[in-house]
Amino acid sequence: MIDGKLRDLQCEWRRLYSETLPWLAIAKSPVQTTWPVHIDHCFARIILDNVIGDGGPWTNKLKSPAIHNMTSAQLRRCIMLGKAIEGGIEDLAELDTKSLQARAKKPKHSAESSKRKREATVREATTLNDVTVGPPKKRQIDIKTALSSSHQSTKDAIQPSPSKTPSSVPVPSTLPHRAHTVDPELHTLIMSASSLTHFRRRVLLALCQVPSGHFTTYAALAEHLSSSARAVGNGLRNNQFAPRVPCHRVVASDGNLGGFGGEWGIDGKFAGEKIKLLREEGVVVDARKGRVEGEVWSGFR
């Protein structure tokens, strides 16, 4: 059993590489002259290689997943380096170069160029205290709470619906293609939620634009937000505003159901509920294959 102190270190490490640093990168925080990466697993790779890799990939020294196999001392060292990046004490570009060289890969950026830029702008650099890096620890409120009252209908929803055929689905001309206007009250709730990072607020507000009867993908949301599908998926976890923020309208790029209620795919506990919600809005879903049919909505503004 994991002791409490180790669990706290794991949570702090996860928040640092998966939320705080990606948020600073997306916001183009001046604490770093350049942000060569924006995705959570890239930040984890850079820090782990420099702390644990000892001149090579961290996977040569530690079994994956790292977070479940690191000692308390290793976690503290990784957190220390992550906070040094967060505060502008360590140069992220230089650390990335070392990590890529350890993996025999050529960096896309020049660490020397980054160093010169950093020296030229050192007087203008913003310290850690000037940057709002996100909220306190997340509230453990998730979509499961929102779905608890309707979970009994899951088994019925996952069965193919004989009355739902493509011809009964509203044609494009009868469906609203314009972005849905976010309800002012909901907008206020999302913006004032202290448990949300800036990036998660952007994800949720963007998702509110997807009209009923349509669906979008993690990739489409990511393109709109200049982020990654993985980061968007993480941002949609524990959606405390469901179903008003319609995370059921987001699917994988290949048409598969994607995540819902903290589980993935057709075998997920709440897959039937996601199918039910989509069908009620007029989206065609092949329940046997767990796939949606139709065009991806991407009219974000």
Side-chain angles (χ1 to χ4, degrees), residues 38-295:
H38 297 78
I39 305 173
D40 54 358
H41 67 83
C42 291
F43 284 105
R45 182 259 302 169
I46 292 170
I47 295 172
L48 289 168
D49 280 355
N50 279 275
V51 171
I52 297 174
D54 192 24
W58 67 266
T59 47
N60 291 347
K61 302 286 185 178
L62 189 68
K63 186 179 178 181
S64 181
I67 194 168
H68 295 310
N69 293 289
M70 295 161 70
T71 64
S72 295
Q74 289 172 328
L75 283 164
R76 289 191 186 96
R77 290 172 61 201
C78 286
I79 291 169
M80 186 179 299
L81 180 56
K83 288 185 175 180
I85 296 170
E86 178 187 358
I89 299 170
E90 289 285 350
D91 190 298
L92 179 63
E94 292 180 9
L95 294 171
D96 185 36
T97 296
K98 291 179 182 178
S99 170
L100 292 173
Q101 289 175 343
R103 294 166 176 263
K105 294 182 179 180
K106 186 177 180 180
K108 296 180 180 180
H109 56 85
S110 168
E112 185 61 31
S113 173
S114 173
K115 184 177 180 180
R116 287 197 299 268
K117 289 180 181 179
R118 189 176 185 83
E119 291 173 348
T121 59
V122 67
R123 293 183 180 178
E124 301 175 3
T126 304
T127 62
L128 174 61
N129 293 332
D130 296 323
V131 181
T132 302
V133 297
K137 193 172 183 180
K138 289 181 181 178
R139 289 180 291 169
Q140 296 303 312
I141 302 174
D142 59 32
I143 193 173
K144 295 177 183 178
T145 303
L147 296 176
S148 59
S149 62
S150 58
H151 183 55
Q152 292 182 348
S153 60
T154 297
K155 292 182 179 180
D156 294 333
I158 204 167
Q159 298 299 324
S161 173
S163 61
K164 278 286 184 183
T165 62
S167 60
S168 65
V169 177
V171 296
S173 59
T174 66
L175 290 171
H177 286 276
R178 293 183 179 180
H180 179 69
T181 301
V182 182
D183 177 75
E185 180 189 358
L186 181 57
H187 184 279
T188 300
L189 287 173
I190 293 172
M191 293 303 295
S192 62
S194 62
S195 63
L196 299 179
T197 62
H198 175 72
F199 177 69
R200 287 195 68 199
R201 291 189 183 102
R202 293 180 64 213
V203 172
L204 295 178
L205 288 173
L207 179 54
C208 288
Q209 297 182 37
V210 181
S212 175
H214 291 273
F215 63 89
T216 191
T217 65
Y218 300 101
L221 270 167
E223 182 177 358
H224 169 64
L225 297 170
S226 300
S227 181
S228 70
R230 182 172 179 173
V232 167
N234 288 335
L236 289 175
R237 289 179 180 175
N238 302 322
N239 175 14
Q240 64 212 61
F241 301 105
R244 294 180 69 187
V245 176
C247 51
H248 63 278
R249 295 176 192 163
V250 187
V251 301
S253 296
D254 61 1
N256 285 322
L257 284 179
F260 197 62
E263 300 187 27
W264 187 266
I266 187 63
D267 296 323
K269 183 178 179 181
F270 297 101
E273 183 65 27
K274 184 168 186 174
I275 292 172
K276 176 176 177 289
L277 290 169
L278 287 169
R279 281 179 167 172
E280 286 178 347
E281 294 178 349
V283 176
V284 179
V285 185
D286 185 333
R288 293 186 184 278
K289 297 180 180 179
R291 296 175 63 89
V292 298
E293 299 176 8
E295 295 184 1

